[in-house]
Each structure stands twice: as C-alpha cells, then as structure tokens.
Amino acid sequence: MPARASGRVTFGYFNNFTKVTPQVMEAWFEILKQVQNSQLLALAASGGYVEGRLHELARENSIDPQRITLCDPQPQAGYMRLIQRADVALDPFPFNGHTTTCDSIWMGVPVVVLEGDTYASRFGGSVLANVGLEDLIARSVDEYVSIAVDLAGDLDHLSRLREELRPRMAASALLDFAGFARNVEAAYRKMWQTWCARSRS
C-alpha cells in the first residue's frame, strides 16, 4: 500500500479532468488540509494551464503546491499502474465516473463518491453498492470530505480493502457477464412477446 511505503496518504483522481468543478477542488483542498502530509495525484496534462491553476489555488488555500502532482494521460497499462499509486480515489461530482471507478476498485483502491439525484450523478454509487461499499457513498460535500478523511486515518482498513476489492468485484454482478447476457435475452424475448400479443389483438 502506498501509504505504508511512503508514510503519507495519496489521494488519486483518474477521471477526465473536465469533470472537475470549483466545488470539487474546494472539497479536495479541504481533504488535504485535514489529512496532514497527504498528497493528491491527478491524471491531467502536466506543465500547462491546469497544473498552474491548481497550484495557484493550492497556495490560496495555504496548501503547498508540491503536494499536488499531475500525470499525463497514458496507455492502459500505465494508467492502471498510476491507480496503484493511490490509497484512496476521489470521484468527481456532479458527473460521476463509472469505468474509472471500476478500474480503481479492480486495482484495490476504494473510491469516495458524492451521489446526487440525476442519472449522471449516480454512476459511482451504483458501482460501490455492487461491491458492498455503500459506506463510501456521500450525500453532501461535507460527508464526502469526512469519508475521505476517515479512510485516510485508518491504514489497517485501507490495507484490508486493497486485498479484498478485486475478489469482491470479481464475484459481483458487475462482472457477471453470463447473467447480464441472460437478462438481455430475457428482455428481448419479453419485448417480442409483447409485440406479438399486440399484433394479434
């Protein structure tokens, strides 16, 4: 686990950076303030406007910009290794991640999600519910921050999750491809039967 090796908790963000709103950044800065010596590792182009702006905002929030590292987008294998460098992943809001959340869970990294009322803001919660991580689903920004801070304060729990998450996901409905195919087939059959019944009437 990265925190065991480095002595500091690493929060990770691996979604498309266009999903990062000012409210998301405010939540991140609050998390970094509350978790001393922690760092943020984010997937985004380094050395450009985004990095400069993030570092500027960090200074405005009395956070050392060196605690924020941006890594350039990269091929799949490098992307998965990047996820491994995090202890806790932070989901964006109000537009949640989905594939990225699945990737993080597969690599043993728990994801903190803020769930909303719209379709796009419920992707992450759906994934977490399927792997038994409902306690990582926040209903407010304050709860989002609190969940992340609490996770960072319990390295034993994080270590157990890192070992358990891939097996949990493998056994969940998320990877039940045969079951999904049967459900789709059943839906098609039901639609066909409904159409036939209407055609006869």
Side-chain angles (χ1 to χ4, degrees):
M1 193 173 70
R4 296 284 194 204
S6 67
R8 62 193 305 191
V9 171
T10 299
F11 294 100
Y13 177 80
F14 308 108
N15 289 268
N16 190 316
F17 209 85
T18 58
K19 293 184 179 183
V20 178
T21 65
Q23 291 74 27
V24 170
M25 285 191 283
E26 287 176 13
W28 288 353
F29 291 139
E30 185 58 33
I31 291 167
L32 291 176
K33 286 178 184 177
Q34 293 191 34
V35 183
Q36 295 297 314
N37 200 38
S38 62
Q39 60 183 348
L40 174 67
L41 177 67
L43 184 65
S46 61
Y49 171 78
V50 171
E51 184 174 68
R53 182 60 177 151
L54 262 179
H55 286 179
E56 179 184 352
L57 291 171
R59 284 189 289 269
E60 291 176 5
N61 282 271
S62 302
I63 293 170
D64 182 355
Q66 297 304 310
R67 293 172 65 188
I68 301 173
T69 301
L70 269 59
C71 293
D72 294 318
Q74 48 200 285
Q76 182 75 6
Y79 157 74
M80 299 302 272
R81 285 194 296 270
L82 185 64
I83 292 175
Q84 282 186 301
R85 292 170 56 186
D87 297 292
V88 178
L90 301 173
D91 200 48
F93 54 87
F95 200 115
N96 289 172
H98 187 273
T99 302
T100 306
T101 302
C102 291
D103 291 339
S104 297
I105 297 297
W106 186 249
M107 299 309 290
V109 181
V111 184
V112 180
V113 168
L114 174 54
E115 189 173 73
D117 298 323
T118 64
Y119 174 71
S121 66
R122 300 181 71 82
F123 293 148
S126 174
V127 173
L128 295 190
N130 272 283
V131 293
L133 293 178
E134 291 92 341
D135 56 330
L136 302 189
I137 304 172
R139 284 1 188 254
S140 68
V141 175
D142 286 345
E143 190 178 7
Y144 177 93
V145 171
S146 178
I147 291 171
V149 171
D150 288 347
L151 272 177
D154 191 345
L155 297 189
D156 289 338
H157 180 49
L158 279 179
S159 183
R160 287 192 299 272
L161 286 176
R162 202 167 185 91
E163 295 177 355
E164 296 172 1
L165 288 184
R166 183 174 291 187
R168 281 200 208 182
M169 187 173 182
S172 75
L174 293 169
L175 295 185
D176 182 9
F177 308 122
F180 180 81
R182 286 193 298 271
N183 289 338
V184 170
E185 290 166 352
Y188 286 152
R189 180 170 293 278
K190 181 64 176 176
M191 285 185 266
W192 172 248
Q193 291 170 340
T194 299
W195 184 85
C196 289
R198 288 177 180 168
S199 296
R200 289 193 298 268
S201 61

